[in-house]
Amino acid sequence: MTTDTDDPRAPFRRAMTLGTVPYYDGTRSTVTVDIQWTGERLSITGNEMHGRACVGGGQNSDTAAQARPRAEDRHTRHDIRRLVAIWDRWHLNDMRAGCEHQRAQGWHLQRIDPRKPSDTYAIHHPGQSRESWNLLQWVYPSEVPGGLMGVACPTCGYRHGTAWQTEEVPTSVLVTLREITKTAHHLTPVDVDGRYATTEESNR
Ligand SMILES: [Zn+2]
């Protein structure tokens, strides 16, 4: 029996195996996600396991998007695509670098080096003095042409990256997440330490 609440905005935490992806040696690795909603903040992180070795993780939504459900999984490729879309759009909704206008124009999605995934943490341009995610929002225009850090919004004047902005996660997004993860492992939400707490909600 599920003990899921009727309130879609109530906190929840679920861990889910999305499926498998190709590994470089010709075998396949397994991608899992940990989805936490505290009532205010949505956080989604991934893990890629090859046997018992962790071979990737964090903000690896590009990899997760490639996952193929296993025979025993009850979700579909379509569910994975929906989950990844929510992940890319709403992860850390309370830590937005941009205002609503900058977000609407996709400032947070523009890559420094378009040949690499956005979640690569490295030097992407000779002008960079320190490593960053592969996104123009993390570099100044003085370092990298097109850098967006500190650049003013043409509409409201807010300087990109100078404060954390909160963007409320719509209830429809939470309803969709609950639906996609209804057969996932249900865990007790925890705020900071990232450890799995005791199972509170039963698996279905
Ligand atoms: Zn603005």
Side-chain angles (χ1 to χ4, degrees), residues 2-68:
T2 178
T3 55
D4 220 344
T5 170
D6 290 332
D7 176 8
R9 301 200 69 86
F12 64 88
R13 183 175 188 184
R14 297 174 182 183
M16 182 175 183
T17 300
L18 288 187
T20 64
V21 293
Y23 194 56
Y24 74 90
D25 66 359
T27 62
R28 298 183 74 82
S29 51
T30 302
V31 177
T32 62
V33 285
D34 183 356
I35 301 160
Q36 277 203 78
W37 166 244
T38 67
E40 292 174 355
R41 165 187 279 197
L42 180 66
S43 170
I44 302 179
T45 53
N47 250 316
E48 183 183 347
M49 303 296 293
H50 187 255
R52 299 175 73 170
C54 183
V55 295
Q59 293 307 302
N60 60 340
S61 64
D62 291 345
T63 301
Q66 310 300 319
R68 181 201 297 163

Side-chain angles (χ1 to χ4, degrees), residues 6-169:
D6 290 332
D7 176 8
R9 301 200 69 86
F12 64 88
R13 183 175 188 184
R14 297 174 182 183
M16 182 175 183
T17 300
L18 288 187
T20 64
V21 293
Y23 194 56
Y24 74 90
D25 66 359
T27 62
R28 298 183 74 82
S29 51
T30 302
V31 177
T32 62
V33 285
D34 183 356
I35 301 160
Q36 277 203 78
W37 166 244
T38 67
E40 292 174 355
R41 165 187 279 197
L42 180 66
S43 170
I44 302 179
T45 53
N47 250 316
E48 183 183 347
M49 303 296 293
H50 187 255
R52 299 175 73 170
C54 183
V55 295
Q59 293 307 302
N60 60 340
S61 64
D62 291 345
T63 301
Q66 310 300 319
R68 181 201 297 163
R70 302 160 306 169
E72 65 266 39
D73 290 329
R74 290 162 69 184
H75 58 272
T76 63
R77 289 269 310 149
H78 177 64
D79 290 331
I80 293 173
R81 282 195 295 273
R82 289 196 297 165
L83 173 61
V84 167
I86 290 172
W87 185 349
D88 287 342
R89 176 66 181 79
W90 295 104
H91 171 70
L92 296 189
N93 58 296
D94 62 343
M95 295 183 69
R96 297 299 190 224
C99 65
E100 57 188 301
H101 316 108
Q102 291 163 335
R103 281 196 297 274
Q105 291 178 17
W107 287 30
H108 57 298
L109 300 174
Q110 297 176 36
R111 300 178 192 186
I112 300 168
D113 181 347
R115 295 166 302 179
K116 292 188 282 188
S118 59
D119 59 359
T120 311
Y121 195 81
I123 299 278
H124 308 286
H125 185 275
Q128 279 188 260
S129 53
R130 55 182 175 77
E131 298 186 326
S132 73
W133 303 112
N134 184 26
L135 288 166
L136 285 166
Q137 68 173 352
W138 300 119
V139 292
Y140 289 96
S142 57
E143 300 174 80
V144 178
L148 294 170
M149 182 86 87
V151 175
C153 169
T155 306
C156 71
Y158 168 76
R159 292 189 178 278
H160 203 259
T162 55
W164 294 127
Q165 314 270 323
T166 293
E167 187 179 23
E168 185 166 280
V169 179

